[in-house]
Structures are given as C-alpha cells and as structure tokens.
Amino acid sequence: AAHGHAVALHPNGNSRTLLFALRSGQTIKKHCVESPMHVVVLKGRGRFIVGGESPVDIRENTLLVLDAEETIEGEAVGGDLVFLEVLHGAQT
C-alpha cells in the first residue's frame, strides 16, 4: 500500500489508539485531525509536517503533540517507520 497500514489497538469512549507502519517512502497524506492527538515514534525515522510548519525529522522516542484542527502529513525516510497515534476525545 502506498500509504502504509494502520491497526486500531484500543478504541473506547474517550480516545482511540492506532498503530501505524510505513515502509521507506510511504506517506501519510495531509489531513486535519479531529481532536487533540499525540504521535509516539516506536521505530525508524521519518519527516512530518504539522500545521503547515517546516518539516520535522522524527525518530524513535519522538513525541509530536497536535491540537484539534491541526494538519499533519509525513513519510518514512531511510527504512520502516512505526508509530502510535493517540487521539483524545475521538469517536470510536
């Protein structure tokens, strides 16, 4: 898949946790997050753009914090990228 793979790990009434896996060069298309979100990188490296700002290089143990209605896009760089997205207050 050109845009990687996501699995819902823990959906409940208050939040939704997704596990994402991207191969090198795969992307997350630009989209607006519906609720506050944390992104935690578990493995690999990537480059994300949050809120239209300059690209940020991410790697293992990076934490990105997004407010509701911010945009995010990104790609895996130089190998596989695995990260968690935790959406707070998201509908399941």
Side-chain angles (χ1 to χ4, degrees), residues 13-59:
N14 300 316
S15 67
R16 185 172 55 189
T17 303
L18 302 170
L19 176 66
F20 278 85
L22 304 177
R23 296 210 181 273
S24 187
Q26 287 185 319
T27 62
I28 298 288
K29 286 186 176 182
K30 184 176 182 178
H31 63 283
C32 186
V33 299
E34 61 198 49
S35 60
M37 181 174 77
H38 291 157
V39 176
V40 181
V41 180
L42 303 175
K43 175 185 172 188
R45 295 184 303 131
R47 185 167 293 119
F48 278 30
I49 299 172
V50 176
E53 298 291 328
S54 299
V56 174
D57 291 327
I58 59 171
R59 58 186 167 91

Side-chain angles (χ1 to χ4, degrees), residues 19 40-44 59-62 81-84:
L19 176 66
V40 181
V41 180
L42 303 175
K43 175 185 172 188
R59 58 186 167 91
E60 288 180 20
N61 302 318
T62 298
L81 175 64
V82 179
F83 59 95
L84 292 175

